[in-house]
Amino acid sequence: VDLLLLIFSRLYILDITMNCNSTASHSFKYVAGAQNAWDMLSEEQSQKHITTGSGDLNGILGGGIHCKEVTEIGGVPGIGKTQLGIQLAINVQIPVDYGGLGGKAIYIDTEGSFMVERVYQIAEGCISDIMEYFPCHHDKSSSGQENLQPESFLAGIYYFRICSYTEQIAVINYLEKFLGEHKDVRIVIIDSVTFHFRQDFDDLALRTRVLCGLSLKLMKLSKSYNLAVVLLNQVTTKFTEGSFQLTLALGDSWSHSCTNRLILYWKGNERCAYLDKSPSLPVASTPYAVTSKGVRDAGSSSCKRVRVM
């Protein structure tokens, strides 16, 4: 089995190399499609963001999670990475009439941490907030009332359960076809991107090349289909300056594979988020909370460590 996995991985690397060579030989096709910087800025400013559920967290992210970008979210176990991933899968479906994108989500689960009961609970919390913030609008919109049901939000999440890194590679390669058939998808969440590559991959050089190919594919998909890609990441220890320190998994080379990097950490009994990397936003941090309704501002709950389903 290990030999077959190794062969599969090397064939995948060969396929990436051939695609790169093919792209280079036909690069002239893309010259005519160049976009000027003013158009890019106008397009970026007109983009809506996917709310995280926390106004403070949205603030340091420039309004929320950005479409056409890859955002990495890392942190220690129990800090709320999966909670935030599920929250984004729900919030991306907020109807346009209520300030959302009205899209759907793809959730790729490599760890088995996706709990549908918790998804239902967060969907109810999202609907409760919409009804609170838009009471008059909600009463007038009969079509909106039909969509504001937990069942509708759950039906808008396409779920993939991944049990090996070969399956993960296959699903990411399949995404382009799937997105072509489901053009209303506005976010792809991988929870977590590192799990199987840390467990099953012994050839570190090969692992780096495979992950590089996957990250390039995800970046291309985010641009081509105007969607956000969110990669949840684990932490590991790194020996630095005579002591062991916590750092995000897969090393420094992987840190270049995302547009934005958000690190979640504990500050006493309070959950905090730190924007470690962004091409357009300053480094910043803010507290947040995980409540029974989902991810919210830290001040919205008196209990910092909330036990969820």
Side-chain angles (χ1 to χ4, degrees), residues 29-278:
K29 293 182 180 180
Y30 299 95
V31 174
Q35 187 179 17
N36 65 60
W38 175 251
D39 288 342
M40 293 172 64
L41 178 62
S42 301
E43 181 180 332
E44 183 176 330
Q45 291 177 339
S46 66
Q47 289 273 2
K48 287 185 177 180
H49 303 117
I50 305 168
T51 176
T52 61
S54 164
D56 293 336
L57 196 50
N58 289 340
I60 69 170
L61 290 170
I65 300 297
H66 296 233
C67 291
K68 293 193 171 185
E69 293 182 3
V70 177
T71 300
E72 180 185 23
I73 301 174
V76 297
I79 194 64
K81 299 187 297 295
T82 297
Q83 301 296 316
L84 182 52
I86 293 173
Q87 187 74 65
L88 293 170
I90 293 295
N91 288 352
V92 74
Q93 301 180 60
I94 296 174
V96 176
D97 292 343
Y98 300 101
L101 273 67
K104 294 187 177 180
I106 293 175
Y107 202 102
I108 300 174
D109 181 11
T110 67
E111 301 185 29
S113 55
F114 185 91
M115 303 300 293
V116 72
E117 296 86 358
R118 180 58 176 157
V119 181
Y120 192 94
Q121 195 177 38
I122 291 177
E124 288 183 318
C126 178
I127 294 168
S128 173
D129 285 352
I130 292 175
M131 295 178 67
E132 179 183 347
Y133 297 142
F134 301 92
C136 298
H137 189 76
H138 176 73
D139 292 339
K140 295 177 182 178
S141 176
S142 59
S143 60
Q145 292 179 15
E146 295 177 1
N147 293 329
L148 291 180
Q149 300 294 330
E151 295 80 3
S152 300
F153 281 86
L154 267 66
I157 301 176
Y158 301 110
Y159 175 78
F160 294 86
R161 177 69 173 100
I162 302 302
C163 298
S164 69
Y165 73 82
T166 52
E167 288 184 10
Q168 186 170 333
I169 291 170
V171 167
I172 292 176
N173 284 329
Y174 170 66
L175 279 181
E176 187 165 10
K177 181 178 185 297
F178 188 89
L179 290 170
E181 297 170 350
H182 301 80
K183 297 186 182 296
D184 52 355
V185 171
R186 301 303 300 276
I187 189 169
V188 175
I189 302 158
I190 304 180
D191 180 14
S192 68
V193 69
T194 56
F195 181 71
H196 293 300
F197 286 94
R198 293 182 68 192
Q199 302 292 329
D200 307 325
F201 229 111
D202 296 326
D203 189 335
L204 298 183
L206 178 60
R207 184 184 74 173
T208 300
R209 293 196 297 272
V210 171
L211 286 169
C212 179
L214 294 179
S215 68
L216 290 174
K217 182 174 286 290
L218 291 169
M219 286 184 179
K220 179 182 176 183
L221 291 175
S222 70
K223 299 284 186 183
S224 301
Y225 292 94
N226 188 25
L227 54 83
V229 173
V230 174
L231 307 176
L232 305 185
N233 196 357
Q234 301 171 333
V235 296
T236 187
T237 54
K238 180 180 180 181
F239 189 76
T240 306
E241 298 179 355
S243 63
F244 287 98
Q245 298 179 0
L246 287 176
T247 184
L248 296 190
L250 298 182
D252 296 332
S253 60
W254 174 252
S255 65
H256 303 294
S257 301
C258 59
T259 315
N260 310 290
R261 170 177 270 192
L262 187 71
I263 299 176
L264 309 180
Y265 63 97
W266 288 106
K267 185 178 181 181
N269 283 330
E270 190 172 55
R271 288 179 168 92
C272 292
Y274 172 73
L275 183 63
D276 180 61
K277 173 188 175 184
S278 171

